[in-house]
Amino acid sequence: MSEPVVRVAGLTPLAGGSHRRDAFLVAGLTVMLLLPFAGKAFHMDDPLFLKAARQIRANPLDFYGFRVNWYGTEQPMWEVTKNPPLGSFFLALASVAGGWSELALHLAFLLPAVAAALGTLLLARRFCAHPVVATLAAIATPAFLVSSTNVMCDVLLVAFWVWAVELWLRGIERRRASLLVMSGVLIALAALTKYFGVALVPLLFVDGLARTRRPGWWAAALLVPIVALAGYQIWTRNLYGRGLLSDAAAYSSLIRFRSGPLLSSKIVAGLSFAGGCLAPVLFFAPWLWRVRTLALAGAAGAVLAIAARLVLLPKTLGVTGVDSLVQLTLFGLAGAGVVALAAADAWPRRDADSILLGLWVLGTLLFAVLFNWTVNARSILPAVPAVGILIARRLERRPVAVRGGRSLPAAPLAASIALSLAVAWADWRLADAGRTAAARLAAPGGLPGTLWFEGHWGFQHYMEARGARALDWRRSRLAVGDRVAIPIDNANVVPLPADAVVHRSIQDFRVLPFLATLNPHLRAGFYLDDWGPLPFAFGRVPPERYVLLEVVRDVLPGELTP
């Protein structure tokens, strides 16, 4: 059957026989956008996945059977990480082929990025007449591009996710049990890559009900991931004395209870992250909504921004500057646009496709805001394919005449790609600052004493690679002549006794001067909203500062307190 032709201003209808060309276009563009970042320094939680991968190379059946200092004191790895091990298994396999260098592992992670893009393309062919536009809108998001430049598990999850949905829909349509079972296997792999993958079970069960109108034999395929996760829970409980699936759920609840944030502030941060991480929704807005709708949204946003500035933001979100407020308002409006996009697609159609896409997007956002331990771009990432498809579906329903005709998608797509590349560049510069700082701070050789360091993330990886030791708040004993390297803006940093140390040097390392993904001064918290409600922020970005201290009296265990 030939594909439908829907003429929308600025969109070239999909012609039959173009599937292979479209696949090459999508895969080629994905690789082209990511290749410049192939040498990026290991960043954020990358070292945890690398440590687990090395353990897997040595003992794959005891993947978390080692100890790590990540929160300031040494703990078993299974207590520290709250992700399942499949991402680290992929890293271990990649290291066999190419070694442990940044270049080799980043090149290996092009595979899940391309797989995620091609899976999105296949799904988009089902849901809209212009799948390339939908796929490019998904690729051109800060959430996708930045996440694809790390070696964590998130993009691998998306790859399993989209292909699981595609096989599920094929199995339902063709009534083929083998396709449904394959989908169930991919759901299990997704959940063993990142626990959020289990959300596919209720999502696809509802989809099955919407398409078949009643429970049937098809639902049995969803037992595959349930059985796999039950086995994982039992296995890890036998290995480590605690089932890691339930442990991750308990950890998230505990962190949210301890932090006790206002629900209103979490919603604001969630909308801001959704709008910034899914930026094409913002750039496509003039073609998605009527002028009157955009004007009303802008007016409402201005009123809410003023009210929030006076009441909510300074106390709960730490946003005080006008520039940060403007960015927060813009991102928040774009985040509301994501929700509106899903609702506007589902309400008039009310069919199985719109229900699937709507629940996909809204379920991801609800998890990121209400159930995850922190709001971050990685939690928003699974919504990327569905949002790209929703943009294309909305464009089809608004065939407005626009000057420029066929080139209409070029402007918003180009703007989205430019922004996403800039955000990825800022994150690359931040990661490189940690690598460069470690190289300089650990460079002096032949000095007496031990070189210690505080802080974690990528900086920890490079300091340990140069022989430095992570400071343990409970166990470390510092002797006269030891040195301690401390990043000012990092995780789990505590002050040392003032009478025990003297400053040896203070060094600044330049980052991108106008854009930041993680900076408490600009309230940017791409990886955790504890640093701010903006996924990234424009402004004057200060350099990353590192301090090197010298110990002048012994510091005994117990003198350091978090």
Side-chain angles (χ1 to χ4, degrees):
M1 180 180 294
S2 61
E3 294 178 291
V5 174
V6 180
R7 294 191 178 276
V8 179
L11 298 176
T12 303
L14 179 66
S18 64
H19 291 182
R20 184 177 299 177
R21 181 198 64 199
D22 293 344
F24 277 117
L25 171 64
V26 166
L29 182 61
T30 302
V31 172
M32 184 175 67
L33 292 174
L34 294 175
L35 269 181
F37 304 99
K40 181 181 178 181
F42 295 129
H43 190 37
M44 298 308 296
D45 289 351
D46 285 350
L48 285 179
F49 290 88
L50 291 167
K51 287 176 181 291
R54 291 182 183 276
Q55 170 70 11
I56 288 167
R57 288 280 300 270
N59 189 350
L61 297 182
D62 187 17
F63 41 87
Y64 291 152
F66 61 99
R67 300 179 69 84
V68 61
N69 181 342
W70 192 252
Y71 293 119
T73 188
E74 191 176 85
Q75 299 171 271
M77 177 62 171
W78 60 265
E79 284 188 356
V80 172
T81 187
K82 301 305 172 186
N83 286 300
L86 199 58
S88 293
F89 271 93
F90 180 79
L91 268 175
L93 181 63
S95 72
V96 172
W100 295 100
S101 71
E102 294 91 338
L103 179 62
L105 295 180
H106 283 304
L107 289 178
F109 266 74
L110 289 176
L111 295 177
V114 170
L118 292 178
T120 300
L121 179 65
L122 278 180
L123 284 175
R125 286 176 182 157
R126 295 179 168 276
F127 294 117
C128 62
H130 305 285
V132 173
V133 173
T135 307
L136 295 184
I139 293 171
T141 56
F144 182 82
L145 279 189
V146 176
S147 298
S148 297
T149 65
N150 298 321
V151 297
M152 293 180 271
C153 60
D154 307 283
V155 177
L156 185 60
L157 162 70
V158 176
F160 284 133
W161 182 294
V162 292
W163 283 94
V165 175
E166 170 64 20
L167 290 177
W168 175 264
L169 296 177
R170 288 190 191 185
I172 292 289
E173 289 174 356
R174 302 176 187 180
R175 298 185 179 184
R176 288 183 57 181
S178 59
L179 292 174
L180 294 174
V181 171
M182 290 170 62
S183 175
V185 170
L186 288 180
I187 296 171
L189 294 176
L192 293 174
T193 299
K194 192 168 184 176
Y195 293 122
F196 181 67
V198 75
L200 279 167
V201 173
L203 177 66
L204 295 186
F205 180 75
V206 172
D207 178 76
L209 290 178
R211 295 181 191 278
T212 64
R213 302 300 179 184
R214 61 175 181 265
W217 57 269
W218 49 265
L222 297 176
L223 294 175
V224 174
I226 294 174
V227 170
L229 287 174
Y232 173 78
Q233 172 76 0
I234 295 171
W235 181 27
T236 53
R237 186 175 61 192
N238 290 335
L239 272 177
Y240 307 118
R242 187 181 303 175
L244 299 190
L245 176 61
S246 59
D247 180 66
Y251 173 82
S252 180
S253 300
L254 178 63
I255 294 298
R256 283 185 285 109
F257 174 77
R258 284 181 176 176
S259 60
L262 293 173
L263 179 60
S264 56
S265 65
K266 278 294 182 184
I267 292 174
V268 171
L271 290 175
S272 172
F273 271 74
C277 294
L278 306 171
V281 172
L282 177 64
F283 292 112
F284 274 98
W287 295 281
L288 299 177
W289 310 104
R290 296 177 179 176
V291 174
R292 183 175 61 181
T293 302
L294 293 175
L296 290 174
V303 172
L304 291 174
I306 294 172
R309 173 66 177 84
L310 297 174
V311 178
L312 175 67
L313 299 182
K315 296 180 180 179
T316 60
L317 296 177
V319 176
T320 55
V322 174
D323 53 347
S324 295
L325 177 60
V326 170
Q327 294 179 71
L328 181 62
T329 302
L330 192 61
F331 289 158
L333 287 174
V338 173
V339 177
L341 193 62
D345 186 80
W347 179 251
R349 300 177 190 259
R350 281 174 279 189
D351 57 13
D353 289 350
S354 62
I355 291 172
L356 173 62
L357 293 171
L359 291 179
W360 183 343
V361 171
L362 297 179
T364 302
L365 297 184
L366 285 174
F367 169 80
V369 174
L370 300 180
F371 299 104
N372 198 33
W373 70 275
T374 184
V375 179
N376 56 34
R378 297 164 61 190
S379 300
I380 303 292
L381 177 64
V384 160
V387 170
I389 293 170
L390 286 171
I391 288 174
R393 283 163 68 91
R394 181 69 178 174
L395 289 173
E396 292 167 16
R397 297 186 62 215
R398 300 200 70 246
V400 296
V402 177
R403 186 176 300 175
R406 294 176 181 271
S407 63
L408 168 62
L413 283 174
S416 300
I417 290 174
L419 174 65
S420 299
L421 286 174
V423 176
W425 183 22
D427 202 57
W428 181 87
R429 291 286 296 271
L430 178 63
D432 191 62
R435 176 170 57 185
T436 304
R440 291 189 186 177
L441 293 169
L447 294 178
T450 301
L451 175 61
W452 303 86
F453 67 91
E454 292 195 71
H456 299 280
W457 300 336
F459 180 65
Q460 173 167 355
H461 173 83
Y462 292 106
M463 289 297 286
E464 289 180 338
R466 289 165 174 79
R469 297 176 59 184
L471 192 65
D472 191 312
W473 299 336
R474 297 177 181 175
R475 302 177 179 87
S476 294
R477 179 188 181 111
L478 309 184
V480 174
D482 287 353
R483 290 154 292 136
V484 185
I486 302 178
I488 298 302
D489 292 328
N490 203 291
N492 304 304
V493 174
V494 299
L496 300 179
D499 64 334
V501 294
V502 295
H503 281 77
R504 186 183 183 96
S505 67
I506 299 176
Q507 300 187 41
D508 289 340
F509 298 88
R510 295 182 61 188
V511 293
L512 198 64
F514 59 86
L515 177 60
T517 54
L518 197 66
N519 188 283
H521 310 289
L522 295 182
R523 304 302 293 147
F526 192 88
Y527 296 97
L528 67 167
D529 71 323
D530 292 352
W531 285 44
L534 299 171
F536 49 88
F538 289 90
R540 182 176 294 178
V541 185
E544 290 290 298
R545 174 159 291 182
Y546 290 76
V547 177
L548 186 63
L549 305 176
E550 183 175 343
V551 179
V552 294
R553 74 161 177 85
D554 289 353
V555 179
L556 302 178
E559 287 192 68
L560 304 176
T561 56

